[in-house]
Amino acid sequence: AAAESGQCTLTPLTAGIKSLVATYSGDATYEPSTSAVSFHTINPADTTTTITNQSELDTPTYVGDSYFVRWEVAVNAPGAGPVTGSVTVTGDGSCFASATSGQCMLFSVSTGTKSLIATFAGNANFNGSDTSASPATHEVSSGVPITWANPAGIEYGTLLSSLQLNASASVPGVFTYSPALDALLHAG
């Protein structure tokens, strides 16, 4: 800045204690000079963490299913800059990822309505924040949805096979059919 203005604007890139020194290079009339050191504290910027996919979380899952929790970590004014660090999501087990990735995957571990909280831990430049004042919710059901298309017809005398007994589910397991595999059905 010009010497006549007596001020300049500095934009710190990190938080912490900064040493400030003003230096005048001099001219034909005045000798160069340097001020004494002045210390200035730059505080970490505050943040706000928000879970952004409540509409997706409104769809229930079943024990053993996985689902994503998505978030955003915003820097509150007057702070600025890209957020670094990690976010941990708790409430149905836990998962974590970098704050900038914006998501992690949880696995439904037990039934019930889950209160999901995303926590940005913070670091030297950014204060942590979480969603505990407004947690997201997610319902985990105990029943497993079974998909089973209408079985193909068979002629009398044909044993039931995997062509008719072909149910599927989103979790591993064994199906028990009644009548069972290789059963002979009566006509009608």
Side-chain angles (χ1 to χ4, degrees):
E4 300 84 32
S5 71
Q7 67 182 15
C8 67
T9 300
L10 301 173
T11 303
L13 301 177
T14 60
I17 297 174
K18 308 299 179 185
S19 302
L20 303 178
V21 176
T23 303
Y24 173 64
S25 59
D27 64 14
T29 307
Y30 298 100
E31 295 288 319
S33 64
T34 300
S35 72
V37 175
S38 176
F39 296 99
H40 186 73
T41 300
I42 306 299
N43 295 317
D46 288 332
T47 62
T48 300
T49 301
T50 308
I51 292 178
T52 60
N53 68 324
Q54 181 62 63
S55 62
E56 290 175 45
L57 295 170
D58 287 342
T59 302
T61 57
Y62 299 90
V63 173
D65 286 349
S66 62
Y67 59 95
F68 281 99
V69 176
R70 301 182 207 304
W71 63 76
E72 177 181 59
V73 178
V75 180
N76 301 351
V83 176
T84 58
S86 63
V87 171
T88 300
V89 177
T90 57
D92 189 16
S94 66
C95 64
F96 69 94
S98 70
T100 55
S101 74
Q103 68 180 16
C104 65
M105 183 184 296
L106 284 174
F107 290 89
S108 301
V109 295
S110 62
T111 61
T113 301
K114 307 303 175 180
S115 180
L116 304 174
I117 297 174
T119 303
F120 170 59
N123 56 41
N125 295 320
F126 299 100
N127 289 322
S129 58
D130 65 41
T131 62
S132 61
S134 182
T137 57
H138 180 68
E139 186 67 34
V140 179
S141 248
S142 60
V144 175
I146 296 174
T147 304
W148 192 5
N150 194 16
I154 57 175
E155 291 188 22
Y156 179 74
T158 304
L159 300 178
L160 286 176
S161 72
S162 61
L163 294 175
Q164 290 79 36
L165 307 178
N166 58 358
S168 64
S170 62
V171 296
V174 176
F175 290 99
T176 303
Y177 297 96
S178 178
L181 185 68
D182 295 327
L184 179 61
L185 299 179
H186 297 288

